[in-house]
Amino acid sequence: LYLQTNELSGQVPDWICTVSTYDLTDNLFSCPLPSCCSAAENGLCEPCYSSVPAPAPAPGPVPIPVPVSLSPSPSPSPSPPTVPSSERNALVALYDSTNGPDWTYNDNWLNGDPCSENWYGVECDSEVQHIEILSLGS
């Protein structure tokens, strides 16, 4: 999980300590950090701030969310494979806890399935059933 230098902000969730390989350095996280990635341990979430500096505004227009219709489709069609809900939920928790709406690049995040909807920075295996790479560096 490599999310360094992406202007992520908010609290780093404690579940990061369960991820085997990660680097969250040079973002705008709030203190305190989980003990596993603080300066006293490996420093892979440093620095942290008691008050977060405002990120630079993103260039261009702000994307407007499009409502999703919950009505059934008129003709049944096979649905694409989806990632396990545990993987999607982990990405949503990361997005929510790091101020995802203010990420520099957050295209398609929270829209449907991370793989079939092409969430920015998410790469999936060839069968589109598991997330293989998450790269959100700027």
Side-chain angles (χ1 to χ4, degrees):
L1 180 63
Y2 299 98
L3 302 173
Q4 67 277 13
T5 317
N6 197 44
E7 296 184 2
L8 302 176
S9 61
Q11 290 292 135
V12 176
D14 288 332
W15 60 258
I16 195 67
C17 298
T18 65
V19 176
S20 60
T21 305
Y22 63 92
D23 185 349
L24 305 177
T25 55
D26 298 320
N27 282 290
L28 304 171
F29 295 123
S30 302
C31 295
L33 296 170
S35 61
C36 67
C37 63
S38 66
E41 282 294 316
N42 59 23
L44 290 176
C45 296
E46 292 288 339
C48 69
Y49 303 91
S50 53
S51 65
V52 177
V62 176
I64 299 172
V66 177
V68 176
S69 171
L70 298 178
S71 57
S73 62
S75 60
S77 59
S79 37
T82 59
V83 299
S85 61
S86 60
E87 292 182 26
R88 184 185 191 282
N89 292 344
L91 290 175
V92 170
L94 173 71
Y95 182 88
D96 289 342
S97 66
T98 60
N99 202 21
D102 289 334
W103 289 357
T104 302
Y105 305 105
N106 63 2
D107 300 351
N108 298 329
W109 275 74
L110 304 185
N111 292 333
D113 181 73
C115 296
S116 62
E117 295 294 330
N118 298 314
W119 290 12
Y120 181 86
V122 175
E123 294 183 27
C124 302
D125 65 11
S126 60
E127 295 175 10
V128 193
Q129 295 180 343
H130 292 286
I131 296 166
E132 287 190 330
I133 300 172
L134 181 62
S135 177
L136 300 176
S138 55

